[in-house]
Amino acid sequence: MIYKSNKILWLNALRVIATFAVVFLHTSGYVLKGVEDTTSFYFWIGNFTSASVRWCIPVFVMISGALLLDNIKKEGMTEFYEKRLKKILIPLVFWSLFYLVLRMAYKGLTLEQIIISILTGRPYGHLWYLYMILGLYFFTPFIRLSISSFSEKENNYLILLILISASLYAFVNRFLFLNKANIFTMFIPYLGYYLCGYQLKVRYLSNRISVRMLVMIIVVSYLVIVSF
């Protein structure tokens, strides 16, 4: 019982820290947008701050993976959909309509623009996360069956391949402007994080990880993010 309590405690702690990180991410984003001179002190303050909290969204996805992919209660497909889709569909539909009506009133959106906003998962900027997580929810029962039949090594290779593919997609998209993400595909780049959350919880929670290795990975990742 103590072990279970501790699991909930560290997951809740991650949620709180990641929530603050999201606030810092959005705040630093406004700084970056408001400063045109990329050599200025304010730009680099915003850039360094933004780079230091970019992990927040992947962490939220990993938390979802840790909680939902480990099917301890042997939850059936129908039961899963009834529980999760009710929780996310109602706020998703409500807030999408709310912001669309608001934007129609103040910006006079056309029907075509409304449809595009919905299909791209952006009736309003920050709502993209709900559309993305909904895609992961739809495939969760099938992912559960797959990963439960894989060995630890096979799951590791799967996660690595998905993360590499997502990184290459993001890299190519940045320089060739192939931004074609929509509500049917926007969850795919986050699938690796979703699986990684499960793997870390189920396989490695009780194992010690080298602090030196973690620090090296964090520093290298930070420098890469700041550079791009």
Side-chain angles (χ1 to χ4, degrees):
M1 186 63 69
I2 295 176
Y3 179 65
K4 290 183 179 180
S5 176
N6 285 337
K7 287 199 293 185
I8 294 173
L9 182 61
W10 68 262
L11 284 174
N12 287 337
L14 273 179
R15 281 197 189 101
V16 172
I17 296 171
T19 300
F20 280 105
V22 169
V23 176
F24 278 101
L25 180 62
H26 283 279
T27 304
S28 60
Y30 282 112
V31 173
L32 292 175
K33 288 181 180 179
V35 180
E36 296 182 358
D37 183 5
T38 57
T39 63
S40 69
F41 173 77
Y42 291 106
F43 174 84
W44 282 103
I45 288 294
N47 192 25
F48 281 119
T49 304
S50 177
S52 67
V53 292
R54 290 290 182 91
W55 50 265
C56 57
I57 300 301
V59 163
F60 275 122
V61 176
M62 290 171 68
I63 291 172
S64 295
L67 293 172
L68 298 180
L69 292 179
D70 189 11
N71 193 14
I72 299 175
K73 298 179 180 179
K74 304 299 180 183
E75 188 178 45
M77 185 182 300
T78 303
E79 184 182 359
F80 174 85
Y81 285 141
E82 286 180 352
K83 283 183 179 179
R84 271 77 194 191
L85 295 184
K86 284 181 181 178
K87 289 181 179 179
I88 194 171
L89 275 179
I90 294 175
L92 180 63
V93 172
F94 173 83
W95 287 110
S96 294
L97 290 175
F98 175 85
Y99 282 111
L100 283 174
V101 170
L102 201 64
R103 292 175 67 195
M104 286 173 62
Y106 286 94
K107 294 187 177 181
L109 295 184
T110 63
L111 179 60
E112 181 182 358
Q113 290 173 321
I114 291 173
I115 293 174
I116 291 174
S117 295
I118 294 174
L119 290 179
T120 55
R122 294 182 181 273
Y124 198 75
H126 55 268
L127 290 182
W128 73 269
Y129 184 87
L130 291 179
Y131 285 88
M132 180 274 294
I133 205 71
L134 184 63
L136 293 176
Y137 280 7
F138 270 122
F139 286 92
T140 293
F142 306 101
I143 297 172
R144 282 176 172 176
L145 293 174
S146 299
I147 60 178
S148 62
S149 63
F150 292 166
S151 67
E152 180 179 335
K153 182 178 290 187
E154 288 170 336
N155 276 327
N156 288 338
Y157 281 133
L158 176 63
I159 292 169
L160 184 62
L161 286 172
I162 293 175
L163 289 176
I164 290 175
S165 299
S167 298
L168 290 174
Y169 168 79
F171 182 81
V172 172
N173 181 56
R174 177 177 177 84
F175 292 101
L176 297 182
F177 304 102
L178 302 176
N179 189 12
K180 298 181 180 179
N182 55 67
I183 58 175
F184 305 107
T185 62
M186 63 194 306
F187 73 93
I188 296 176
Y190 295 89
L191 183 56
Y193 297 119
Y194 198 54
L195 292 169
C196 194
Y198 161 82
Q199 192 76 340
L200 288 174
K201 178 190 176 187
V202 174
R203 308 288 184 182
Y204 302 123
L205 189 61
S206 59
N207 296 347
R208 296 186 66 181
I209 302 175
S210 170
V211 175
R212 181 180 297 179
M213 180 63 69
L214 285 176
V215 171
M216 287 178 60
I217 292 172
I218 291 171
V219 170
V220 171
S221 301
Y222 182 79
L223 292 175
V224 170
I225 294 172
V226 167
S227 300
F228 287 93

